[in-house]
């Protein structure tokens, strides 16, 4: 039986299927990720307000007979959100990276309304951001909320192994005199303290600034570009381990 479903969605991928049609991947708020064919979307007059563009969002109606097959998109009231992104290549790349991760870290028909909201926020706020540091901070926040939503929230304020709390207080500073700082380990899914680091093969050393940002995400907003790049490098390493391949968009984000 074919069911008509109404939802609100954002386009995270669009490819041409024929002269007149597209196949789109949509992330729908109540439904989760769906792949659908949009028949006639490239005709001048269609039910989609023109060809479907990546990052467009709005109300959709789709029909699906079963979850194995492509759904059929019958309506899409597109609100373009990419216009401001197009004027800044780095902003666009941050959102394309977000879309790639959203696509590869979620399953079809697995709803995550909070993740839908975070992604819309990423697209809108990145378009408004004043500089690349701000854009990168927004991407990092989205990546962390993605990990949390899919049940992989990393431990970022204590050592995963011995629960030593990361702190900038006296004790830690004293300890710093004789040992190195914390590490991030993908297999441990979080921070590893200097005492435990020898037990973990896969890890990246963190500078004090990067560590402070991870333990207190509010610091991301005022962080230096160098620190943001370091945090992003750690997240790219982590996503690479999780996915089993390096995300395609990573090279457009970390140029420096
Ligand atoms: Zn430890």
């Amino acid at each position: 039986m074919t069911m008509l479903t109404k939802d609100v969605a954002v386009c995270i991928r669009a490819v041409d299927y024929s002269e007149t049609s597209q196949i789109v991947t949509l992330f729908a708020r109540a439904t989760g990720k769906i792949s659908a064919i949009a028949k006639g979307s490239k005709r001048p007059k269609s039910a989609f307000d023109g060809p479907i563009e990546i990052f467009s969002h709005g109300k959709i109606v789709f029909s699906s007979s079963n979850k194995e097959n492509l759904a059929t998109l019958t309506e899409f009231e597109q609100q373009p959100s990419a216009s401001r992104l197009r004027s800044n290549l780095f902003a666009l790349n941050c959102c394309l990276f977000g879309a790639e991760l959203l696509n590869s870290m979620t399953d079809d028909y697995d709803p995550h309304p909070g993740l839908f909201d975070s992604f819309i926020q990423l697209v809108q706020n990145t378009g408004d951001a004043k500089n690349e540091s701000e854009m990168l901070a927004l991407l990092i926040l989205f990546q962390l909320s993605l990990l949390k939503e899919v049940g992989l929230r990393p431990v970022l304020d204590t050592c995963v192994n011995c629960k030593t709390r990361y702190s900038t207080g006296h004790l830690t500073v004293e300890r710093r005199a004789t040992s190195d700082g914390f590490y991030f380990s993908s297999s441990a899914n979080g921070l590893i303290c200097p005492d435990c680091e020898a037990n973990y093969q896969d890890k990246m050393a963190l500078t004090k600034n990067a560590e402070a940002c991870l333990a207190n995400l509010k610091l991301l907003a005022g962080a230096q570009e160098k620190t943001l790049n370091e945090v992003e490098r750690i997240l790219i390493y982590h996503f690479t381990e999780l996915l089993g391949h390096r995300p395609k968009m990573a090279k457009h984000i970390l140029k420096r």
Side-chain angles (χ1 to χ4, degrees):
M1 204 185 89
T2 303
M3 245 176 47
L4 269 188
T5 310
K6 286 184 183 181
D7 206 334
V8 45
V10 57
C11 175
I12 56 172
R13 193 162 179 266
V15 292
D16 289 347
Y17 177 69
S18 67
E19 287 284 291
T20 56
S21 302
Q22 291 170 289
I23 289 180
V24 292
T25 305
L26 303 170
F27 196 78
R29 197 170 193 281
T31 311
K33 189 173 71 180
I34 52 171
S35 292
I37 183 159
K39 288 179 190 153
S41 62
K42 290 162 70 191
R43 289 185 201 282
K45 280 183 183 169
S46 75
F48 311 108
D49 306 325
I52 295 170
E53 293 183 15
I54 188 156
F55 307 133
S56 284
H57 73 281
K59 289 182 197 158
I60 60 164
V61 179
F62 66 95
S63 67
S64 58
S65 44
N66 68 58
K67 293 177 180 182
E68 307 302 309
N69 296 339
L70 277 180
T72 302
L73 190 65
T74 53
E75 280 173 50
F76 190 4
E77 286 179 30
Q78 290 190 76
Q79 316 262 358
S81 20
S83 53
R84 279 170 308 177
L85 291 178
R86 250 180 245 114
S87 58
N88 186 303
L89 184 62
F90 190 71
L92 182 65
N93 282 339
C94 284
C95 292
L96 287 170
F97 192 19
E100 179 187 353
L101 293 174
L102 182 58
N103 196 0
S104 47
M105 298 289 296
T106 57
D107 295 320
D108 289 355
Y109 295 94
D110 181 17
H112 288 283
L115 194 46
F116 171 84
D117 295 342
S118 305
F119 187 71
I120 294 286
Q121 244 176 35
L122 173 73
V123 170
Q124 292 180 341
N125 295 347
T126 309
D128 291 335
K130 289 192 291 291
N131 52 49
E132 295 196 358
S133 293
E134 228 174 82
M135 294 165 192
L136 198 49
L138 290 164
L139 175 65
I140 290 168
L141 287 173
F142 171 74
Q143 290 168 321
L144 290 170
S145 88
L146 171 62
L147 290 170
K148 183 180 143 197
E149 280 281 344
V150 301
L152 295 170
R153 179 186 212 150
V155 178
L156 298 173
D157 54 356
T158 57
C159 171
V160 174
N161 195 46
C162 70
K163 314 296 176 211
T164 294
R165 180 160 284 275
Y166 164 74
S167 116
T168 44
H170 302 300
L171 278 174
T172 317
V173 175
E174 249 168 59
R175 178 182 179 137
R176 282 278 155 70
T178 52
S179 61
D180 295 313
F182 276 59
Y183 290 75
F184 181 86
S185 165
S186 181
S187 64
N189 197 34
L191 295 186
I192 299 298
C193 78
D195 293 340
C196 299
E197 63 100 357
N199 302 324
Y200 294 85
Q201 294 298 311
D202 76 301
K203 65 201 164 194
M204 278 177 77
L206 293 166
T207 63
K208 241 197 268 183
N209 287 342
E211 216 177 297
C213 280
L214 286 173
N216 179 4
L217 298 177
K218 288 191 185 108
L219 297 177
L220 284 170
Q224 287 182 344
E225 195 173 355
K226 204 175 80 182
T227 305
L228 294 169
N229 277 326
E230 187 190 341
V231 173
E232 184 55 31
R233 193 168 296 118
I234 286 156
L235 285 169
I236 288 173
Y237 141 71
H238 190 37
F239 280 111
T240 302
E241 295 291 312
L242 291 172
L243 295 168
H245 66 265
R246 189 171 165 88
K248 281 194 210 122
M249 285 305 298
K251 62 175 179 289
H252 301 288
I253 303 299
L254 281 188
K255 300 162 282 194
R256 293 156 282 250

